[in-house]
Amino acid sequence: MTVVNPLITYQVPYTAIGEIRGGNGGTLNLVTRTGDEIYSTAFGGSITDYVVGSTERAADRIEKRVKTRRTSTQQGLVEKKFTTSWIADFCAVGGVVFVILAGALGI
């Protein structure tokens, strides 16, 4: 499974996933068998998630795949690398710009 966040991309084998958390705030977290948490920023309280419930749907889909592929006793290693994802990076920069504008305008 691939999780693309601004600046960092994670390659997580299904055998390394211990738990999938689809929280109330629209946050999708993967917890590895070693206890590390990997957050997916795309699901972080988005309006789309509030309307269509994409976090719960994604968590269910991932859980189904993990169950079918968890037959191996081998634990895969999570790869973490710095990458350029233009869409994710653009959204991160846009968020920072809006925070600065809101502070400047006193909102």
Side-chain angles (χ1 to χ4, degrees), residues 10-57:
Y10 298 91
Q11 291 287 338
V12 185
Y14 287 109
T15 56
I17 298 174
E19 182 182 356
I20 297 100
R21 295 182 185 161
N24 296 337
T27 305
L28 181 64
N29 302 340
L30 298 178
V31 182
T32 63
R33 288 185 178 187
T34 59
D36 297 327
E37 284 194 60
I38 299 171
Y39 301 97
S40 177
T41 59
F43 290 94
S46 70
I47 295 173
T48 304
D49 180 62
Y50 179 76
V51 174
V52 298
S54 58
T55 301
E56 288 80 17
R57 289 178 27 201

Side-chain angles (χ1 to χ4, degrees), residues 81-102:
K81 57 184 171 179
F82 291 99
T83 58
T84 302
S85 171
W86 294 108
I87 294 173
D89 295 344
F90 177 75
C91 291
V93 169
V96 170
V97 168
F98 284 120
V99 167
I100 292 169
L101 283 174

Side-chain angles (χ1 to χ4, degrees), residues 61-75:
R61 247 179 164 177
I62 296 167
E63 186 65 42
K64 286 178 187 174
R65 286 228 173 123
V66 167
K67 284 182 181 178
T68 59
R69 299 199 179 155
R70 204 178 264 164
T71 57
S72 172
T73 57
Q74 235 179 13
Q75 181 177 346

